[in-house]
Amino acid sequence: MTEEQLATEFETHRPYLHAIAFRMLGSHADADDAGQEAWLRLARTGGGGIENLRGWLTTVTGRICLDALRRRSVRAEQPLELSVGTLPREAARAGRGDPEQQALLADSVGLALYVVMDALTPAERVSFVLHDMFEVPFDAIAAILDRSTAATKMLASRARGRIRLGTPTTAADAAAREVVDAFLAAAGRGDISGLLAVLAPEAELRARSPKGTIIVRGAEIATRARAGARLGVAHPALVDGAPGVLFTVHGRPVTVMAFTVTGGAITMIRTLTDPVRLAQVVPSWVA
């Protein structure tokens, strides 16, 4: 096979490889880099002796992404920087779909937020994405991770449990989630008293906008929360390991909120309202 023929064959698999890399790395740019590296490795082999090119490329791309995720861990990258913008009222109203569609979206969000949550180890992320999203057999994933098949199944299972709807892993996390849920429920009802009941007196809302940093404290948070309750469809999530919520409009992420809960009350809320940026870090269920 000539290099031109090999390149043509590779291009037929490029969208599939990009989808895998994007779900693992959460960035189109990083996914493009992973795809290019996969091509370079294929070109170096000349394609000779490869019986199943799609499987070979899946394995190579998985290893490239695994290495990239491990480098991120070594660099100890900073958590997602939270900022805030505005959402037109027309878009907010349009985001309220029928209950069936909201239920379907909630399930997909619960399974996709691992990039935003940053809650998985590189091995967990690779095993979960390849098996649950692309139906790659566990024995093939085990070869990528250099683990046994049984260990790889456990990684995927653990990842699945940590991701699905932001399920807390400890009693303290569960208690914090209950406080956040109470906050969201009160906001949805427009219940100022209910909001104040779960907000610490010194509670602070921190956000950043093009106009500068916004800091709101105390009772004013309740007023803003009631006004902002119609941002879109709300989905439980973990954000930087803390209980949070993702708001979507037309199935696309528009706002994410992270809560700090201390002593049974909310002491800090951080928000990011940036659909463009969120589209870069949430996997391609939003596309």
Side-chain angles (χ1 to χ4, degrees):
M1 184 181 297
T2 67
E3 183 172 336
E4 183 177 353
Q5 291 172 325
L6 189 63
T8 300
E9 182 71 14
F10 175 80
E11 288 302 320
T12 66
H13 299 288
R14 186 187 289 273
Y16 167 75
L17 301 177
H18 183 92
I20 288 177
F22 182 47
R23 283 167 170 81
M24 288 189 197
L25 303 176
S27 160
H28 284 296
D30 289 344
D32 287 339
D33 290 344
Q36 185 60 25
E37 177 61 24
W39 158 246
L40 292 174
R41 296 188 186 186
L42 175 62
R44 285 197 292 268
T45 69
I50 300 177
E51 297 181 1
N52 180 353
L53 183 58
R54 184 185 179 93
W56 188 91
L57 288 170
T58 300
T59 297
V60 168
T61 301
R63 287 173 176 162
I64 291 169
C65 292
L66 179 63
D67 289 341
L69 292 168
R70 284 171 173 167
R71 286 194 297 271
R72 289 183 185 178
S73 298
V74 171
R75 290 200 303 268
E77 292 185 343
Q78 294 298 313
L80 180 67
E81 180 184 352
L82 298 170
S83 58
V84 67
T86 59
L87 180 68
R89 291 183 180 180
E90 292 78 8
R93 287 196 295 268
R96 293 184 173 275
D98 62 78
E100 181 180 0
Q101 287 299 317
Q102 291 186 19
L104 291 173
L105 179 60
D107 184 61
S108 68
V109 169
L111 291 175
L113 276 181
Y114 61 95
V115 174
V116 176
M117 293 189 295
D118 195 23
L120 305 183
T121 67
E124 287 172 344
R125 190 175 299 189
V126 169
S127 61
F128 173 78
V129 169
L130 288 180
H131 182 266
D132 284 46
M133 294 185 177
F134 293 93
E135 300 181 346
V136 176
F138 278 121
D139 56 350
I141 303 171
I144 295 172
L145 299 176
D146 195 24
R147 308 278 184 99
S148 69
T149 300
T152 302
K153 289 180 179 179
M154 287 298 296
L155 286 169
S157 176
R158 187 163 65 224
R160 199 176 301 118
R162 296 174 69 182
I163 291 167
R164 189 177 298 275
L165 297 181
T167 303
T169 56
T170 68
D173 290 336
R177 171 58 64 185
E178 288 182 1
V179 173
V180 172
D181 288 345
F183 175 89
L184 295 173
R189 297 191 305 269
D191 181 1
I192 291 292
S193 296
L195 288 165
L196 292 175
V198 293
L199 284 168
E202 71 280 7
E204 188 171 272
L205 169 67
R206 286 184 172 270
R208 188 176 297 172
S209 74
K211 297 181 180 180
T213 300
I214 298 173
I215 300 177
V216 179
R217 296 186 175 90
E220 188 179 350
I221 298 175
T223 303
R224 285 178 174 263
R226 182 174 65 175
R230 298 177 182 177
L231 283 175
V233 181
H235 311 276
L238 287 174
V239 183
D240 296 333
V245 62
L246 175 76
F247 290 94
T248 59
V249 171
H250 293 313
R252 295 178 179 272
V254 293
T255 301
V256 65
M257 304 175 69
F259 297 79
T260 300
V261 178
T262 306
I266 296 169
T267 56
M268 173 69 73
I269 304 174
R270 296 174 296 153
T271 67
L272 166 66
T273 300
D274 186 343
V276 174
R277 187 170 181 189
L278 285 174
Q280 294 173 340
V281 297
V282 177
S284 59
W285 58 271
V286 302

